[in-house]
Amino acid sequence: MTTRILPAVGDPDAARSVTTLIGQLPDAEPAPPVTDSTQLVDTLARLAAASLDELPEVVLVHERIGPVPALELVREVALRFPAVGVVLITADASPVLFSAAMDSGARGLVTLPLGYEELASRVQAAAQWSAGVRRHLGAGADRITGPGGTVVTVSGAKGGVGTTVTAVHLALAARASGRTVALVDMDLQSGDIASYLDVQFRRSVADLASIADISPRVLQDAVYVHETGLSLLLAPAEGERGEEVSDRAARQIVSALRGRHEVVVVDCGSQLNNANAAVIEMADTAVLVATPDVVAVRAAKRTVRMWERLQVRKAEETVTLVNRHHRSTEIQPPLVQKITGTRIAGVAVPAHFKELQAVVDAGRLHELDAKSTVKQALWALAGELGLVGAPATEAPGKQLARAGDRGSLGLRRRAGGR
């Protein structure tokens, strides 16, 4: 996922310094600097005339740009091109100038001499804001563009219904379609993603909990890039550290990931706490996994009602996935929908655990055979949720959107909770 950055710097030495530094930002695409205010406005007008998508996400305005004063230029850009996030570069860090810059429409302020962490943080924030404006303006309504991707949470009605495997394969399906994907283990006390994907990594979501401003570099250090291309943010190995992750920290962490990935899949486990409740509330889609038995369906109903009481999520805004489904089962998906009041997923995952056992035991869930019916069902669910790119990625012998390419579910999970 690329953030396009256009620097507006008149001084050649300052322009080289700015260009060099923004070139070091992860996934940044710096444009050649413009040297004065007229050139900046003309460049943006030409790009906007072609398409809103052609505009850069971020414009950096140096304080010594001319002939129009920097604050006036910031105001003009903010008014004429509201989908562009403007960041002012200045040596004056006084509250008076900060207030004036914000009043002019700047989305951030970076002080001279430039520092990597501060610049990265301001650029990321401005890019996220820009992406949000573009979505509201209808740009790219049929696809996810740039910073500000889709967040999907996967929760279990109770322990052992297959929550983690669902989350893993939704993420794998999105990644296979060409999307940039983060997979987060927000089951803070008993997360299993590392075990299922054969990962050993010392960093976890708890390491980000106490950081007030998560920069791209800090986020990069905490994320493990898996061989599949997934960016993994794992649960802490020491379950007690899960208490360090507050609801505010969880929101900030997921927002930071959302700013750098087109899809963020969050495994919330089966226990509700402040952290995963905050993520479920902010998610674009919340999936609740249940098995077609009386105990699990009752647990699903309790979970949905609890979410409503706590104002986390409404029942009609929740998608329930029926796992380990069999045609002879007395409890069928329409009955689950009626009992829970949620929207039922268009696919049900078949009860074929034997397809999964070998890869689960080996910790190689991502190597599940493409012919697996469980895998195909889960990848079809990813298509239903809009997580795969268009056109759909071809799986061996089948289209992803129709049958998926990988899937697995139905294995033991953690103990149930509230």
Side-chain angles (χ1 to χ4, degrees):
M1 181 172 44
T2 303
T3 299
R4 295 164 295 179
I5 307 171
L6 176 61
V9 186
D11 180 73
D13 292 335
R16 281 193 295 271
S17 174
V18 171
T19 303
T20 300
L21 193 56
I22 62 178
Q24 298 173 9
L25 300 179
D27 302 322
E29 182 182 316
V34 295
T35 57
D36 59 51
S37 57
T38 302
Q39 187 181 0
L40 173 61
V41 174
D42 289 346
T43 299
L44 293 175
R46 185 180 70 254
L47 294 173
S51 169
L52 181 63
D53 286 339
E54 295 297 318
L55 286 169
E57 282 79 17
V58 180
V59 168
L60 300 176
V61 176
H62 194 276
E63 63 178 358
R64 292 199 297 271
I65 194 75
V68 175
L71 287 179
E72 290 300 318
L73 180 59
V74 169
R75 187 186 304 277
E76 182 176 0
V77 172
L79 289 174
R80 291 186 57 182
F81 312 100
V84 174
V86 186
V87 176
L88 178 65
I89 302 175
T90 178
D92 182 5
S94 67
V96 174
L97 180 65
F98 182 86
S99 177
M102 296 304 105
D103 289 341
S104 298
R107 304 309 307 174
L109 186 148
V110 181
T111 56
L112 292 168
L114 291 177
Y116 177 93
E117 297 290 345
E118 183 183 25
L119 179 63
S121 176
R122 300 297 178 266
V123 165
Q124 182 186 17
Q128 285 184 277
W129 179 86
S130 172
V133 171
R134 293 177 196 214
R135 285 199 301 274
H136 283 294
L137 292 176
D142 58 342
R143 59 186 174 86
I144 304 169
T145 57
T150 298
V151 176
V152 176
T153 59
V154 184
S155 305
K158 56 185 278 298
V161 295
T163 311
T164 297
V165 183
T166 301
V168 168
H169 277 288
L170 289 179
L172 287 171
R175 179 66 190 130
S177 72
R179 301 274 171 102
T180 53
V181 183
L183 176 59
V184 187
D185 200 339
M186 200 60 74
D187 187 359
L188 298 173
Q189 293 187 345
S190 52
D192 294 326
I193 286 178
S195 298
Y196 287 138
L197 295 178
D198 193 24
V199 172
Q200 293 183 352
F201 192 57
R202 60 189 178 87
R203 299 285 188 181
S204 75
V205 64
D207 294 310
L208 299 176
S210 60
I211 299 176
D213 192 3
I214 301 175
S215 68
R217 178 173 289 180
V218 170
L219 189 63
Q220 192 174 24
D221 289 341
V223 167
Y224 178 88
V225 180
H226 191 257
E227 62 186 80
T228 58
L230 295 178
S231 298
L232 305 180
L233 185 57
L234 305 173
E238 305 82 10
E240 64 273 15
R241 291 198 62 197
E243 297 181 359
E244 300 173 17
V245 185
S246 65
D247 54 344
R248 180 180 179 277
R251 288 180 182 276
Q252 184 179 16
I253 291 166
V254 173
S255 294
L257 288 166
R258 179 182 230 166
R260 298 188 56 77
H261 299 83
E262 292 170 295
V263 176
V264 180
V265 179
V266 186
D267 177 3
C268 291
S270 58
Q271 300 182 38
L272 189 68
N273 53 49
N274 288 340
N276 57 31
V279 178
I280 294 168
E281 182 182 4
M282 70 184 292
D284 298 289
T285 303
V287 177
L288 181 63
V289 183
T291 49
D293 57 83
V294 173
V295 175
V297 174
R298 284 178 176 172
K301 182 178 179 180
R302 285 199 307 270
T303 298
V304 171
R305 298 298 176 262
M306 178 170 59
W307 287 0
E308 288 187 321
R309 289 195 304 273
L310 298 177
Q311 298 183 341
V312 172
R313 201 167 195 90
K314 295 180 181 179
E316 58 269 23
E317 297 173 349
T318 302
V319 178
T320 298
L321 172 69
V322 177
N323 179 35
R324 299 180 195 149
H325 174 261
H326 194 278
R327 284 179 296 179
S328 63
T329 305
E330 290 187 15
I331 299 178
Q332 293 294 316
L335 179 58
V336 177
Q337 181 176 20
K338 181 178 180 180
I339 292 173
T340 62
T342 61
R343 178 167 68 88
I344 206 74
V347 301
V349 182
H352 293 160
F353 179 72
K354 287 184 178 180
E355 298 177 355
L356 309 174
Q357 191 162 3
V359 292
V360 168
D361 291 344
R364 307 288 293 177
L365 191 56
H366 51 288
E367 295 181 355
L368 185 62
D369 192 284
K371 296 179 181 179
S372 165
T373 56
V374 176
K375 171 184 175 182
Q376 291 172 3
L378 284 174
W379 282 45
L381 174 65
E384 179 184 331
L385 298 179
L387 302 184
V388 300
T393 298
E394 291 285 341
K398 291 183 181 287
Q399 280 194 345
L400 174 62
R402 177 166 54 87
D405 179 34
R406 271 188 178 144
S408 46
L409 205 60
L411 62 155
R412 70 187 195 287
R413 279 240 347 128
R414 31 253 176 215
R418 291 180 54 188

